[in-house]
Every structure is written in C-alpha cells, then in structure tokens.
C-alpha cells in the first residue's frame, strides 16, 4: 500500500511541477513570421528579443488557462491530502484520504486533458490551415506529460485505497 502511495506522490509531485512550468512558460507554440522565429505561451507571445502580453481575450486561451490553473489546484490539494494519508494524519477520520487524493489526481488529469485538448484542437484548426511553418513546442509537450503523470498518480492512489479497503485474507487450511 505504501509503495503505491509513494509512487503516486512521486508522480503527482513531478506532474505538479510540470503543470506549473507548462502553464507559466512561453513555448507552447513556435512559428516563423517575416523570417523571424517567434513563440507564444498562454500568457505572452515573443518576438526576437521582446515579449508582449496577450491583450486579446480569446476564448480558447482563457479556457486553456482556466483548465490549467484548476488542474494545478486539484493536483496540489491532492498532494497535501496524499501526504496526510501517507503519514496517517488523523484529522477528518470520516473520509478516506487515500480515496480523496486519488480522486483529486483524476480531477487534475481531467482538467489538464481538457486544457490540452482545447488548445490542440483550436491551434490545429486555425494555424494548421493558415500557416505552414509552425510547431508545438516544449511547454505544450510537458503539458501532455503532466496528463500522464496525474493519471498514474490517481491509479496509484486508487490501488492503495483498494489494498487498504480489501486486504487479502489467507485461505483456511
């Protein structure tokens, strides 16, 4: 049970760091414009030597930002509750902290998946049809890695919950 929780905490910790980096950095997409390489993130777009804040309130950026922030929060609170379950912190005995942490990790996975799906769909539809020299970049890629890590965090915590709730009984001889 503790190895599952340890694995879940490790995946969630790395996933949360990747969510922070992915959300905060400006390399979701790179493209060439007027023979200059430019890049953009959820908050800013950058030309060679200078970055500018997105001033437009474009729905897919707002949705992606909101889902990434919700994912960060769910993963963070999942880690806190997961640590409490791991060390047997006894506040709130009425609910199972292992199950709650696993649920929060799945919620985090769902939100980051929604963020990545919205961004991917709109970007492919818009830029794919209009521009030829663009590509997704490393901030975007680590967002997808965070999807996998938060999913496995939930799996690990649900396995730990299952082991705790249904211990194996030795067969009578």
């Amino acid at each position: 049970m503790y190895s599952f929780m340890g694995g879940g905490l490790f995946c969630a910790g790395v996933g949360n760091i990747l969510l922070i980096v992915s959300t905060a950095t400006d390399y979701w997409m790179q493209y060439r414009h007027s023979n200059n390489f430019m890049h953009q993130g959820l908050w800013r777009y950058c030309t060679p030597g200078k970055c500018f804040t997105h001033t437009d309130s474009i729905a897919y950026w707002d949705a992606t930002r909101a889902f990434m922030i919700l994912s960060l929060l769910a993963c963070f609170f999942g880690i806190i509750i997961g640590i409490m379950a791991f060390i047997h912190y006894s506040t709130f005995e009425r609910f199972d902290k292992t199950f709650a942490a696993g649920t929060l990790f799945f919620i985090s996975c769902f939100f980051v998946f929604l963020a990545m799906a919205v961004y991917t769909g709109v970007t492919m539809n818009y830029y794919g049809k209009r521009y030829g020299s663009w590509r997704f970049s490393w901030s975007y890629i680590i967002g997808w890695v965070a999807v996998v890590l938060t999913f496995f965090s939930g799996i690990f915590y649900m396995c730990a919950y299952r082991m705790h709730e249904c211990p194996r009984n030795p067969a009578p001889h």
Side-chain angles (χ1 to χ4, degrees):
M1 178 173 84
Y2 289 110
S3 60
F4 281 125
M5 283 197 274
L9 282 174
F10 177 77
C11 287
V14 173
N16 205 36
I17 290 167
L18 293 181
L19 284 170
I20 291 168
V21 171
S22 177
T23 303
T25 54
D26 300 324
Y27 285 89
W28 279 62
M29 184 180 59
Q30 292 179 318
Y31 52 96
R32 183 185 294 265
H33 182 68
S34 302
N35 287 329
N36 291 321
F37 283 106
M38 301 170 67
H39 55 91
Q40 73 178 20
L42 299 178
W43 311 99
R44 302 183 315 169
Y45 65 97
C46 300
T47 61
K50 187 148 180 148
C51 291
F52 305 94
T53 303
H54 289 297
T55 56
D56 302 339
S57 180
I58 298 175
Y60 88 98
W61 278 335
D62 292 341
T64 304
R65 290 174 191 151
F67 287 137
M68 290 298 283
I69 291 168
L70 289 171
S71 176
L72 271 163
L73 291 172
C75 190
F76 177 76
F77 288 120
I79 290 170
I80 299 298
I81 293 173
I83 291 170
M84 289 170 38
F86 191 78
I87 62 172
H88 293 298
Y89 188 73
S90 62
T91 304
F92 306 117
E93 287 293 327
R94 296 233 163 196
F95 79 100
D96 192 303
K97 290 176 281 303
T98 306
F99 183 79
T103 302
L104 282 169
F105 294 141
F106 281 132
I107 290 169
S108 176
C109 177
F110 178 69
F111 282 143
V112 73
F113 181 79
L114 283 177
M116 301 308 292
V118 166
Y119 189 86
T120 302
V122 173
T123 301
M124 293 290 291
N125 193 31
Y126 180 76
Y127 287 99
K129 293 179 180 177
R130 288 170 181 76
Y131 303 103
S133 59
W134 69 274
R135 65 185 175 103
F136 292 115
S137 194
W138 60 269
S139 297
Y140 171 83
I141 293 167
I142 64 173
W144 279 110
V145 173
V147 170
V148 174
L149 288 173
T150 54
F151 178 74
F152 279 110
S153 305
I155 294 290
F156 284 141
Y157 261 82
M158 289 303 174
C159 287
Y161 170 72
R162 181 80 173 146
M163 287 182 73
H164 178 69
E165 289 297 308
C166 303
R168 291 185 183 166
N169 294 326
H173 294 295

